[in-house]
Amino acid sequence: MAVVVAVKYRLKPGKRDELLSFVMDNVVNTRNEPGNLAYSHYPSIEDEQEMFVYELWEEQKNLDDHIRMPHYVEFAHKRKPLLE
């Protein structure tokens, strides 16, 4: 059964450009992972602090594996101090 993840998160004021400078590396690498059907980060057009993430995975195991991938671990580490 497919797994859908939809997440909205907020950045600290003025941190959007910094996040956008490295988010695509994670997106590209994630799209190449086994079991990934869709993965995107969308900046809000109405609120510069808001981001939306949409993920679609073939099964839960693929999502579980994703959060341990080196590229995702690095992304999460770099993103954390930017979050509100």
Side-chain angles (χ1 to χ4, degrees):
M1 175 184 273
V3 176
V4 175
V5 178
V7 177
K8 190 185 291 187
Y9 64 89
R10 289 189 62 76
L11 298 166
K12 292 177 182 174
K15 295 298 182 181
R16 180 173 167 157
D17 287 344
E18 186 174 346
L19 175 82
L20 293 177
S21 75
F22 62 83
V23 73
M24 282 309 294
D25 287 339
N26 180 58
V27 170
V28 169
N29 286 319
T30 299
R31 288 177 179 169
N32 289 317
E33 288 180 36
N36 182 260
L37 302 173
Y39 188 86
S40 295
H41 280 247
Y42 300 98
S44 171
I45 60 172
E46 298 170 348
D47 182 345
E48 84 147 21
Q49 290 178 259
E50 193 172 274
M51 293 290 292
F52 176 74
V53 181
Y54 176 80
E55 306 177 36
L56 181 60
W57 299 91
E58 287 180 7
E59 58 187 11
Q60 183 65 45
K61 181 187 180 317
N62 301 128
L63 177 57
D64 294 341
D65 291 344
H66 164 66
I67 64 171
R68 291 187 293 275
M69 291 288 187
H71 68 88
Y72 180 77
V73 171
E74 179 183 352
F75 167 73
H77 177 75
K78 289 169 73 173
R79 179 182 61 176
K80 187 174 182 178
L82 307 181
L83 298 178
E84 190 169 78

